[in-house]
Amino acid sequence: MFTARRWWLPSAVADELTDVPDPDPDAGRRGRPRRTARDWLVDFCCFLLAVFVGLASADVLSHVPHTSHALAVADQLLGALSCAAVWLRRRRPLALAVAMLPVSLVSTTAAGAGIVALFTLAVHRPFRHVAWTGGAALALIPVVCWWRPDPDLTYAGAVVFSVLLTLSAIGWGMFVRSKRQLVLSLRDRARRAETEARLRAEQAQRLAREAIAREMHDVLAHRLTLLSVHAGALEFRPGAPQEEVARAAGVIRESAHEALQDLREIIGVLRAGDPDEAGRPQPTLAALDALVAESREAGMKVTLTSTVTDPAAVPASLGRTAYRIAQEALTNARKHAPGTEVTVTVTGAPGDGLDIHVRNPAPEQEAPRVPGSGQGLIGLTERAGLTGGTLEHGPAPDGGFEVRGRLPWG
């Protein structure tokens, strides 16, 4: 469809608007764009204009007294050659315009070709070329009007008419050139906008994948830690009572089921390409009680203190960040300080911010080593920073470990 439309555009604009190589092999060797149908039509009109002005000048020349027949024939021959040279105006616009300066001085019938040459120069070449060549043409007009006076106009009238005609041709050519440059600049701007939009989309996808990766760590680390802790307990206590073995096996089964379900949902989000299309609602601050209850069922000692009167009123993104902070802190306490009592404190109100504090004392004996990357708290620190909050973590004065997060609640 565009191939059909490009034939009605100027060749310079059509080649800029398309990245398709020119199918004409000779065009590449000539170093110029292939003419479109519009170019042929414009060139033919320019040729007819040059011929029309030349014929009108020849008629005027026949009424000028003291003009020999040989001079009239030479004048018309130069005019005919000049009209034929109009077909070269796209290939050599500057050379044609410069060559027409002396020709127009000695040939009246070449005036039309000279006007077309100046118009072409203004369209296809920078202003400095137009200024020098147009200035020379304007400077020669008084000489031409004195040497070949018009029988129907006074000398001043002929000079004014010729100057206005020359300036009109140059001005119209510069207008066409500026219009083409505007079209090309809009095209470049549109391409840059498309490129920037594509880069922004790629960056958004990358950030979404990074967010999903952090979400995967936050979700799966909690589940898999339960598996590791209880499996390690069964390994180191093979003679444990049947009730404890059954309870540990139930926790392992339930944790494995939840981990598979969470992993399935995250993979579904990755396939869909939208992090907001999770199968289950994302956790909020209202789900903190369920998280603490789950940790207690797994054998942890957890004390939850919350002064937030309505957890459901906390913004979803804020509550989800607070939930992930508590989840990661409980996971780390279960890994590195099993058997200790963990305290979770949540305070805050609209306008005052939301504070979450998770603390566990030092374990009485060294816990079994559980593999971990150590990136969970780093990711949560970045996550809290994205919401405008802060997250601090480190050893407590009594040898334990604490996590303090403060999130803005506007």
Side-chain angles (χ1 to χ4, degrees), residues 148-169:
R148 295 179 178 272
D150 193 313
D152 299 329
L153 294 175
T154 63
Y155 174 76
V159 171
V160 171
F161 176 77
S162 300
V163 168
L164 290 179
L165 184 62
T166 302
L167 291 178
S168 298

Side-chain angles (χ1 to χ4, degrees), residues 87-159:
W87 291 101
L88 304 176
R89 68 188 192 93
R90 295 182 183 274
R91 189 179 302 181
R92 297 288 186 269
L94 180 60
L96 178 62
V98 172
M100 291 305 301
L101 293 177
V103 173
S104 299
L105 185 63
V106 297
S107 174
T108 303
T109 55
I115 294 298
V116 173
L118 288 176
F119 168 78
T120 305
L121 182 65
V123 172
H124 295 282
R125 288 296 180 265
F127 178 73
R128 63 179 184 275
H129 297 157
V130 180
W132 284 104
T133 308
L138 292 174
L140 290 176
I141 287 177
V143 179
V144 173
C145 293
W146 173 78
W147 189 9
R148 295 179 178 272
D150 193 313
D152 299 329
L153 294 175
T154 63
Y155 174 76
V159 171

Side-chain angles (χ1 to χ4, degrees), residues 29 42 44 73 112 126 135 260 269 271 299 301 304 335 361 370 388 408:
R29 288 195 295 267
V42 172
F44 187 71
V73 171
L260 288 174
V269 171
R271 288 177 177 174
K301 300 176 183 178
L304 174 62
K335 284 182 182 179
V370 178

Side-chain angles (χ1 to χ4, degrees), residues 130-206:
V130 180
W132 284 104
T133 308
L138 292 174
L140 290 176
I141 287 177
V143 179
V144 173
C145 293
W146 173 78
W147 189 9
R148 295 179 178 272
D150 193 313
D152 299 329
L153 294 175
T154 63
Y155 174 76
V159 171
V160 171
F161 176 77
S162 300
V163 168
L164 290 179
L165 184 62
T166 302
L167 291 178
S168 298
I170 295 175
W172 182 253
M174 295 178 64
F175 170 76
V176 173
R177 177 179 175 83
S178 63
K179 185 178 178 180
R180 290 185 181 181
Q181 289 178 339
L182 176 62
V183 172
L184 296 179
S185 65
L186 292 177
R187 163 254 183 189
D188 292 337
R189 188 178 303 175
R191 285 190 175 180
R192 286 196 300 268
E194 291 176 359
T195 302
E196 292 174 359
R198 185 173 63 254
L199 293 177
R200 285 195 298 267
E202 293 176 355
Q203 183 180 13
Q205 291 178 354
R206 179 178 58 81

